[in-house]
Amino acid sequence: MTSIIFSINDKPLTERCISTLYTKYCKKLGIIQKSSHKARKTFVSNLLSNGVNINTVRQAAGHRS
């Protein structure tokens, strides 16, 4: 089974489209643009430091263990 995370009208977005949107919204929000890997690590770290249950964080990050 394939999961589509980012889509418009049920059509998957290309990697380039996602990257362009990411850059656009980082600039619009005035935040530092990080690599997708660093953004993911920051997301997970923020969840953990704010007391989110480890199993919930694991699921949000897409990890099985």
Side-chain angles (χ1 to χ4, degrees):
M1 182 175 111
T2 301
S3 297
I4 299 173
I5 297 173
F6 300 104
S7 70
I8 295 176
N9 299 326
D10 294 325
K11 294 181 182 180
L13 297 177
T14 64
E15 261 185 71
R16 184 175 180 166
C17 183
I18 293 167
S19 180
T20 300
L21 289 170
Y22 179 64
T23 299
K24 173 185 170 181
Y25 287 111
C26 284
K27 286 180 183 177
K28 185 175 182 173
L29 294 168
I31 59 175
I32 297 170
Q33 181 181 345
K34 299 180 178 186
S35 70
S36 58
H37 177 75
K38 287 193 182 227
R40 178 183 170 98
K41 282 182 70 175
T42 300
F43 171 70
V44 168
S45 295
N46 282 328
L47 291 176
L48 292 171
S49 67
N50 284 289
V52 176
N53 178 283
I54 187 74
N55 288 319
T56 302
V57 174
R58 179 185 51 78
Q59 286 179 316
H63 291 283
R64 292 184 181 174
S65 60

